[in-house]
Amino acid sequence: MDIQEIFKNNQDWVNEKLNLDKDYFTKLASGQSPEILYIGCSDSRVTAEELMGVGPGDVFVHRNIANMVSNIDLASMSVVNYAVSILKVNHVVVCGHYYCGGVKAAMESTDLGILNPWLRNIRDVYRLHKEELNAIQDEDKKYKRLVELNVQEQCVNILKTADVQIAYKERGITVHGWVFDISTGKLIDLNIDFDKVLKDIMEIYHLD
Ligand code: CO
């Protein structure tokens, strides 16, 4: 890809927006009030806004390798805090994707340097769901299921944060676990029952 092409594309996009509304960027500059926080993978094929069909101002986005929410990761914790407590989003989405290189790498024994501690969290997901995963014979299906369970566990990590627990009590914020299937382009809602998950984890993680 030619880097200069990007600046040409950008100018075309600016012109397109201004043709529809000459005040488009003035309005955009006046502030944001997105309804949704989206946490997804950095994978170049999982283009958050494009696959959801949303525009500037609609969604607060955080992406990292394998869509992880770690309580010692300052970046994801700051994003959750800002989106939930300051912007007051009403939905938090964790979106994983099939064919995730991060999830695959986590299950292989190669030394990945700085990625080792990051991806070790996925091994913890495997350990938590070892029985279910070990019962799956087909490697491809097992790997897909791990992608789904990783989304579920990252949603649980979202629910463990004080910001989300407060927002749940105050305005009933909802958490959603999704998977993007690169091979079909479809977005799949895992329909995780978070009221149940929340009750189970509140027993241990609740804050007063
Ligand atoms: Co990925």
Side-chain angles (χ1 to χ4, degrees):
M1 182 167 212
D2 180 2
I3 287 289
Q4 286 310 315
E5 186 76 15
I6 287 173
F7 289 91
K8 191 192 159 292
N9 292 346
N10 171 254
Q11 191 55 57
D12 291 346
W13 176 74
V14 169
N15 296 343
E16 191 187 307
K17 292 292 183 196
L18 293 177
N19 275 340
L20 292 168
D21 178 1
K22 65 177 175 42
D23 299 321
Y24 184 81
F25 293 102
T26 315
K27 287 178 192 160
L28 209 53
S30 72
Q32 63 169 336
S33 56
E35 278 280 315
I36 301 168
L37 162 61
Y38 168 101
I39 298 173
C41 185
S42 297
D43 193 301
S44 61
R45 301 164 295 178
V46 189
T47 53
E49 287 91 342
E50 190 177 332
L51 73 89
M52 290 189 284
V54 298
D58 290 335
V59 180
F60 202 71
V61 173
H62 178 69
R63 293 170 67 181
N64 62 38
I65 293 176
N67 41 270
M68 304 302 288
V69 180
S70 161
N71 68 332
I72 54 162
D73 170 33
L74 195 54
S76 64
M77 285 300 108
S78 304
V79 164
V80 169
N81 172 259
Y82 188 70
V84 172
S85 296
I86 310 293
L87 295 175
K88 302 210 179 289
V89 297
N90 285 316
H91 302 272
V92 180
V93 171
V94 176
C95 184
H97 67 102
Y98 296 142
Y99 316 100
C100 182
V103 172
K104 198 167 178 56
M107 298 317 298
E108 288 163 357
S109 50
T110 321
D111 183 349
L112 298 164
I114 189 71
L115 275 175
N116 291 337
W118 185 256
L119 296 177
R120 192 171 301 134
N121 297 307
I122 300 173
R123 285 187 191 240
D124 295 338
V125 172
Y126 194 101
R127 186 164 51 80
L128 276 170
H129 298 275
K130 195 170 77 170
E131 270 178 48
E132 181 189 340
L133 289 164
N134 283 349
I136 304 171
Q137 300 298 321
D138 185 282
E139 280 302 310
D140 201 47
K141 279 193 185 132
K142 185 190 286 194
Y143 167 39
K144 283 186 168 172
R145 186 62 186 140
L146 180 57
V147 164
E148 296 171 1
L149 290 169
N150 184 48
V151 167
Q152 182 178 312
E153 291 305 324
Q154 302 320 313
C155 288
V156 169
N157 288 342
I158 291 277
L159 291 166
K160 287 175 192 168
T161 64
D163 296 297
V164 171
Q165 290 190 22
I166 292 163
Y168 183 75
K169 275 184 197 163
E170 277 179 3
R171 59 182 195 276
I173 193 171
T174 46
V175 177
H176 311 262
W178 297 349
V179 168
F180 176 65
D181 186 349
I182 296 180
S183 72
T184 61
K186 296 253 189 205
L187 197 53
I188 302 155
D189 188 344
L190 297 176
N191 288 313
I192 303 165
D193 183 355
F194 285 113
D195 280 329
K196 186 186 171 297
V197 175
L198 200 66
K199 279 195 191 93
D200 289 348
I201 68 165
M202 279 294 203
E203 210 181 305
I204 301 165
Y205 299 98
H206 78 95
L207 298 168
D208 289 323

